[in-house]
Amino acid sequence: SQPAARPERPIALALVAVVLAVYGQTLGFGFIGFDDPGYVYHNPHVCAGLTWDGLRWACTTFQQANWHPLTWLSLMLDAQLFGLRAGGFHLTNLLLHLLNTLLLFRWLRLATGALLPSALVAFFFAAHPLHVESVAWVTERKDVLSTTFFCLTLIAYTQYANAPRGARSAYALALVCYAFGLTAKPMLVTLPPLLLLLVYWPLGRFAPGDGWRRFGRLAVEKIPFVLLMAASCAVTFVAQSTHAVVAVELLPWGVRLATAALGVGTYLQKTFWPVGLSVYYPYWYGVPWGWPVFWAVALAGITAGAVWQWRRRPYLFVGWFWFVGTLVPVIGLVQVGSQAVADRYTYLPHVGLFIALCWGGWETWQNRPRARRWIGAGTAAAALACVAQAAWQAHFWRDGVSLFGHSSAVLPQPNARLLQMYAAALADAGREDDAGAAFERLWSVAPGNRDVAGFLGRWWLKKGRTRDVIALLQPLAAGDDPGADTLELLADALAREGRAADALATARCCAERYPDEPSARFTLADRLRIGGDAAAACVEYEEGLTRQADYLPALTYLAWTYAHLDNPEARARAMLLASRAAAVSHRQDVGSLEALAAAHAAAGRWPQAVEAAGDALALAERDSAPASTVQACRERLASYQQGTLP
C-alpha cells in the first residue's frame, strides 16, 4: 500500500497550494451585514463561546429557519478561541474547505483507484468560483462543515463495502458521520439515494444482471440512513415552515417545476461560464416561458443520454444523477426565501458533475491519443481560469461595501434588497454621502417601501432637509399601516421645521395607532415635554417604561421631575428611577447622574447628592460637554454642598 500512496502526496500538496492561493486572502476579511449578524456578532449565544446554556440553545433553536446545532457549536468554538475577530472564523472555513478537498480526493482514490481523474475532481472542487460563497462567507460554515462529514461518511461506507464480509464498525462509523453531517446542514438528506447510485459505480456491488433481489438487499441496507434522513426532513420542515417556506398558493406547482428546470440550467451555465456572480439572485418573476421550456428539454436530453450510457459509461449516469439529485432540496420545489438560485447550493452537487466530466475526459484521453493535446490544453486552461476567477471573486468578500456593490452591479436589473444592503454597508463604513446616494437610488427602485423611507428620511434629517423628509413621509403616514418608525420620524421632522402642533398631533396619532410600541409612547412624551405639558409627559413616559424599562431618557426625566415635587411618594419614585438610570448608563451619563443627585438631595441625603453631582461634573468635563452644561453642573454641585435643592 505504501508505493501506491506515494503519487498522492504531491497531488495533495498541490491541492493545498491551490486552496491557499484562492482563499488565503480571506484571513484578512471581516464579517458582512448579510446573515453574519444573526449567526455571529449579534448572536449572544455565539458571542458567549461554548457554554452549557449555549449547547442547550443550539440543540433546540430554529433560529435562521434551520436546525443545525453542530454549525452553531462550531461558531461558538470559534468565538471561544478567537473572540469576535473575523479572521479566526474565516480560518476555520478555509481549513474545512481544504480538508473537504483532501477527503474528496482520498475517497475517489479509494473507491475508483484512478489517480488523475480523482485529482482533477478534487482540484475543480477546490477552485471553482461558484464555491467561493461557501468558503468566504462565515455564515456558510454549514456548507463546509456538513461536507466534511459527508466525505467521511463516503469513506467509511466505502471501507465497509470493500471489506470481504462487510465491516460493522465501518458501517456504524458511516452512520454516525451521516448523523453529524445532518446536524450541520440538512441538505445531506439526499445521501441515502446517492449511496444506492454508488453501489453501482464506483463500488461495483450491483451489476445490471444481478436482478431486483440483489438490489433489494442493498436498499434494505440503507434503511438506517433513510430513518436519519426522514427525521432530518421532519425537523427541517418544522423549522422552515414557520419562517421561510413560500406557500403553494403563492407559487403553484407549475411555476415551481418551470423554475426548477431554469435553476438547474442556470447552475450548469454558471459552471462552465462563472461570471457575473452575486451573493443574491432575485426570484424569476416574469421570466418568459421560453427559457424554462428550453432548459427542461435540454435537461431531459442530458438525462436520457446518461440513462442510455448507464452500462457502458456508468460514471456519466452516477455523476449526472448525483448532480441533479443533490440539487433537489434547493431548486425551488420547496421554495425557501426569495432567492432564485445561490452559488453555495452547488458546493456538494458539483462533485457529481465533475466526476462525469473528468472521467469522461480521462476515457477519451485513453482511447483517442490524437485528442490528448487538445484535452490537456483544454484542462489546463480551465484549471487556470478557475483559479484566477475564484481568487478574483473571493476578493469581493472582504467587506459588505465591496460585496454588495459588486453584486448590485452585475445583476441585469437593480434589486431593492441588494441596494438596501449596499447602502447600509456604506453607512456602517462611515461613508454617509455615498450611503445617502445609494438610499436615493434605492427609493427610485422601491418607492413606497417604508423601511427604505426610514433610512432615507434619517439621512436627509442629518443633512437638515426637513421639508424633503416631510414630503417623503406624509404619503406613507396617510396609509393603512405606516409603521411607528415612520410616524416618529415624521413627528421629529415637523418639530424641527417649527410645526410643533403638527408634530404633537403626529406623535399622538402614533401612540394611538401603535399603543404597544414603547418608542411611540416615548415620542409622544418627548413632544409633550417640549410643549410644556410636564404632567402629561410623565404619564406617557411611565406607560412606555412598562414595556421598555431601561429607556434612559424616560428614566432620567421622570427622576428629575419627581425629585422636584413636594410629594414624598413622588420623591421615593424619583430615587428608584434615578438609581435605575445610573445602573443602565453604568454611571457614564451626565443627565442620569444629575437626576440621581437631585433624588438624593430631595431625600435629604446631601453627601450622596454631592458625590453624584461631582461625578456628573467630572464626566461633563472629561467628555468636553458644552460650556453651558459644565456650568450648570458646577452650580448644582454648589447648591448641594450648601444643602439646598436647586
Side-chain angles (χ1 to χ4, degrees):
S1 61
Q2 186 63 24
R6 285 174 185 168
E8 296 177 356
R9 293 174 184 172
I11 291 174
L13 290 175
L15 292 173
V16 170
V18 167
V19 171
L20 293 179
V22 174
Y23 294 108
Q25 60 185 306
T26 64
L27 300 183
F29 292 0
F31 296 112
I32 64 167
F34 183 15
D35 282 357
D36 279 357
Y39 270 89
V40 185
Y41 59 88
H42 284 171
N43 188 316
H45 303 282
V46 172
C47 293
L50 286 172
T51 64
W52 287 112
D53 286 341
L55 173 62
R56 182 168 55 252
W57 175 84
C59 293
T60 57
T61 185
F62 288 158
Q63 187 165 320
Q64 302 297 328
N66 265 309
W67 185 77
H68 39 43
L70 193 62
T71 295
W72 289 122
L73 292 173
S74 76
L75 294 171
M76 292 175 187
L77 178 59
D78 277 1
Q80 185 80 31
L81 296 175
F82 309 115
L84 291 181
R85 293 184 291 275
F89 291 80
H90 285 295
L91 174 63
T92 303
N93 273 25
L94 185 155
L95 293 176
L96 285 171
H97 180 59
L98 176 58
L99 179 60
N100 294 340
T101 300
L102 297 176
L103 288 174
L104 177 61
F105 175 52
R106 173 61 181 155
W107 172 71
L108 287 168
R109 183 79 165 114
L110 178 68
T112 68
L115 181 65
L116 188 57
S118 300
L120 286 174
V121 170
F123 173 87
F124 286 112
F125 174 82
H128 199 280
L130 285 179
H131 298 177
V132 168
E133 184 171 284
S134 293
V135 185
W137 190 2
V138 171
T139 287
E140 285 312 305
R141 171 67 53 80
K142 49 187 178 285
D143 266 359
V144 289
L145 183 60
S146 64
T147 301
T148 299
F149 287 99
F150 175 88
C151 292
L152 290 172
T153 302
L154 293 186
I155 291 172
Y157 184 81
T158 300
Q159 291 174 336
Y160 158 76
N162 289 342
R165 295 184 179 179
R168 292 184 179 179
S169 59
Y171 183 90
L173 180 60
L175 204 60
V176 170
C177 289
Y178 181 50
F180 277 114
L182 288 172
T183 62
K185 187 176 183 179
M187 189 173 172
L188 298 194
V189 293
T190 55
L191 180 64
L194 177 60
L195 290 178
L196 279 178
L197 285 174
L198 299 181
V199 298
Y200 172 52
W201 186 92
L203 300 182
R205 301 181 67 200
F206 178 77
D210 285 348
W212 287 105
R213 181 173 297 179
R214 171 66 175 168
F215 183 81
R217 286 199 296 271
L218 292 171
V220 169
E221 178 188 271
K222 311 297 182 297
I223 287 179
F225 291 92
V226 172
L227 293 176
L228 288 175
M229 176 190 74
S232 179
C233 286
V235 174
T236 302
F237 180 79
V238 173
Q240 295 186 341
S241 62
T242 57
H243 292 79
V245 175
V246 180
V248 176
E249 293 78 9
L250 299 177
L251 285 178
W253 280 109
V255 174
R256 293 171 187 251
L257 292 171
T259 53
L262 189 55
V264 177
T266 299
Y267 290 130
L268 273 178
Q269 176 189 340
K270 288 186 176 293
T271 297
F272 295 102
W273 191 248
V275 297
L277 305 183
S278 171
V279 69
Y280 176 76
Y281 303 93
Y283 197 79
W284 292 302
Y285 293 108
V287 172
W289 278 91
W291 280 111
V293 171
F294 167 79
W295 279 115
V297 172
L299 295 174
I302 297 172
T303 302
V307 172
W308 177 52
Q309 291 289 322
W310 81 294
R311 291 174 182 268
R312 292 183 57 195
R313 297 178 177 85
Y315 57 82
L316 290 177
F317 177 79
V318 171
W320 175 250
F321 280 98
W322 177 322
F323 174 65
V324 176
T326 52
L327 276 175
V328 166
V330 292
I331 56 176
L333 295 178
V334 178
Q335 179 64 30
V336 179
S338 59
Q339 76 284 342
V341 292
D343 296 350
R344 61 188 178 274
Y345 291 160
T346 65
Y347 191 70
L348 188 57
H350 256 167
V351 175
L353 193 58
F354 295 156
I355 286 173
L357 294 171
C358 293
W359 257 266
W362 178 242
E363 181 181 328
T364 305
W365 172 279
Q366 290 179 311
N367 297 335
R368 298 186 180 181
R370 293 183 180 179
R372 289 181 179 179
R373 180 182 302 175
W374 299 105
I375 294 174
T379 302
L384 289 174
C386 273
V387 171
Q389 181 66 13
W392 171 252
Q393 182 65 26
H395 99 281
F396 288 113
W397 286 82
R398 62 184 181 271
D399 56 45
V401 172
S402 173
L403 177 64
F404 302 135
H406 170 73
S407 297
S408 299
V410 300
L411 291 184
Q413 299 293 332
N415 178 260
R417 184 173 185 182
L418 274 178
L419 283 172
Q420 183 167 340
M421 290 189 290
Y422 178 50
L426 287 167
D428 290 341
R431 296 168 55 180
E432 291 193 358
D433 290 341
D434 292 333
F439 281 127
E440 288 179 348
R441 185 185 176 206
L442 176 57
W443 182 254
S444 69
V445 172
N449 184 306
R450 74 186 192 193
D451 291 332
V452 176
F455 279 115
L456 187 56
R458 281 187 287 274
W459 182 68
W460 280 349
L461 215 55
K462 287 182 180 179
K463 294 294 182 180
R465 297 170 56 179
T466 54
R467 293 184 181 180
D468 290 334
V469 176
I470 294 169
L472 175 73
L473 299 181
Q474 277 185 329
L476 293 177
D480 293 335
D481 184 19
D485 289 345
T486 300
L487 294 174
E488 291 163 17
L489 189 58
L490 178 58
D492 191 7
L494 289 167
R496 295 192 189 194
E497 191 65 17
R499 297 166 57 179
D502 291 336
L504 177 59
T506 302
R508 197 180 299 280
C509 174
C510 181
E512 291 172 354
R513 297 182 71 170
Y514 303 98
D516 295 328
E517 287 287 343
S519 59
R521 292 288 183 181
F522 295 140
T523 298
L524 176 57
D526 289 341
R527 301 270 65 84
L528 290 167
R529 173 177 57 80
I530 293 170
D533 194 345
C538 288
V539 171
E540 296 299 332
Y541 277 133
E542 289 281 15
E543 183 64 28
L545 287 176
T546 63
R547 294 170 173 82
Q548 185 178 329
D550 59 351
Y551 186 63
L552 190 58
L555 293 171
T556 301
Y557 177 77
L558 288 174
W560 180 264
T561 302
Y562 291 159
H564 288 79
L565 295 179
D566 188 15
N567 182 319
E569 292 182 0
R571 291 183 172 183
R573 177 69 173 159
M575 191 69 247
L576 177 65
L577 294 170
S579 299
R580 190 191 304 170
V584 168
S585 66
H586 303 287
R587 297 182 72 92
Q588 295 300 305
D589 176 72
V590 173
S592 63
L593 289 173
E594 289 276 42
L596 181 61
H600 280 306
R605 292 191 285 268
W606 300 108
Q608 292 89 336
V610 169
E611 179 186 1
D615 290 344
L617 175 59
L619 187 62
E621 291 176 336
R622 186 198 73 183
D623 293 344
S624 301
S628 58
T629 301
V630 175
Q631 182 60 29
C633 289
R634 287 199 182 101
E635 292 174 357
R636 292 185 185 114
L637 175 58
S639 294
Y640 299 140
Q641 289 171 336
Q642 296 171 8
T644 60
L645 186 66

